[in-house]
Each structure stands twice: as C-alpha cells, then as structure tokens.
Amino acid sequence: MTRRWVTYTAAAVLLLVLGAIMVVQFAGYQDRQDQREAEQKAATLHAAFAEIGITAFDEETIARVLGSDGGGFCTDPAALVDATANLGSTNGAAGPGIRPSVLDERRLAGDRLVIETYCPDQLEAFDDYVDSLRLDDTTTQPGSQPAPEEAP
C-alpha cells in the first residue's frame, strides 16, 4: 500500500510540474505572437505616417505603446480624439486667454491611420466625429461658429 501511495504521489507531482511548464511555455508563445503582431502593425503605421509627412516615433516605441490591439487609443477613440483635438487646438493659455488655434489636419489624418490600423471597426465613428468638426481657416473647435462675414 505504501508503494502505491508513493507512486501515485510521484505521478501527480510530475503531472503538475509538466502542466506548469506547459502553461509557462504557452504564455510565452502567446506573448511572442502578440509581439510579432504589434511589430507588424507598428511598421505599417510608421510607414503610413511617413507617407503623409508625419514624423513619428520609431517602430519599437509605437509597438510598446499601442501593442497589438491599439491600447488606450482603441478603448474609446472618440473620447481620446475629442480630448486631444480640444487640447491640441488651443493656444496653450489658461483662463480668459485661451482661444482656438488652427489644428493641423495631418494630426487628424494620423489619428485616422491609427484607428485604421489598430481598430478599423471604429473608423466610421471616428469619421463621424471629424465630420462634426467645423474645420475652417480659423478654428477646429467642435460646434464653433465660423467667423462672421463682413458686409460690403
């Protein structure tokens, strides 16, 4: 009876150790797959940025920040883009001195490229948001009124 108990215990411990090794190996495999996918998407995005004239971070930085799924950018791109558009389209002053500034349309194009690369299912919502902006020569603030035309 004692021999069987020792044998069964040894077999159980061996199976647990093998199971733990398999889990660690599988997790490492998943990480490598995610890393490859992140690097491929980062290379695609970096090339697209260069194509439209945006100086981007290096591919390794893009891969670390956005990962393989777009990270925080794809969690809620409308809110993120809205916040960055509102912050990026002001003069940097605080209080009463704050006023809208011209927003470089390449930044919106860059945001669109990120969404196109990492979360294309949210591209339509992003396009709807950009269409809601009143982009003219003086401002890009959402809902802002165009400058009144001068009377002749």
Side-chain angles (χ1 to χ4, degrees):
M1 179 83 168
T2 305
R3 282 189 188 181
R4 287 187 184 170
W5 181 81
V6 171
T7 304
Y8 292 150
T9 302
V13 168
L14 180 63
L15 287 175
L16 285 173
V17 168
L18 286 175
I21 290 171
M22 289 171 43
V23 166
V24 168
Q25 289 296 323
F26 181 74
Y29 175 77
Q30 287 298 97
D31 289 344
R32 286 189 300 275
Q33 290 292 94
D34 288 345
Q35 184 62 28
R36 266 189 241 117
E37 184 180 353
E39 289 169 357
Q40 289 171 347
K41 286 184 177 182
T44 301
L45 183 62
H46 191 270
F49 278 165
E51 192 174 303
I52 65 170
I54 294 177
T55 304
F57 293 104
D58 60 287
E59 294 174 19
E60 182 181 321
T61 302
I62 294 171
R64 273 196 325 260
V65 171
L66 295 175
S68 62
D69 62 354
F73 207 94
C74 288
T75 302
D76 190 0
L80 184 63
V81 171
D82 191 29
T84 57
N86 288 336
L87 288 174
S89 63
T90 61
N91 65 348
I98 196 166
R99 62 186 177 274
S101 298
V102 176
L103 178 66
D104 187 355
E105 289 191 27
R106 287 183 306 166
R107 197 187 69 71
L108 290 174
D111 291 345
R112 189 176 197 286
L113 288 173
V114 173
I115 294 171
E116 204 172 88
T117 304
Y118 287 93
C119 41
D121 57 315
Q122 299 184 19
L123 194 56
E124 186 176 337
F126 174 77
D127 288 338
D128 290 343
Y129 168 75
V130 171
D131 290 342
S132 75
L133 294 174
R134 294 187 182 179
L135 300 174
D136 59 24
D137 293 337
T138 58
T139 185
T140 56
Q141 290 289 340
S144 63
Q145 299 298 319
E149 294 181 24
E150 293 184 25

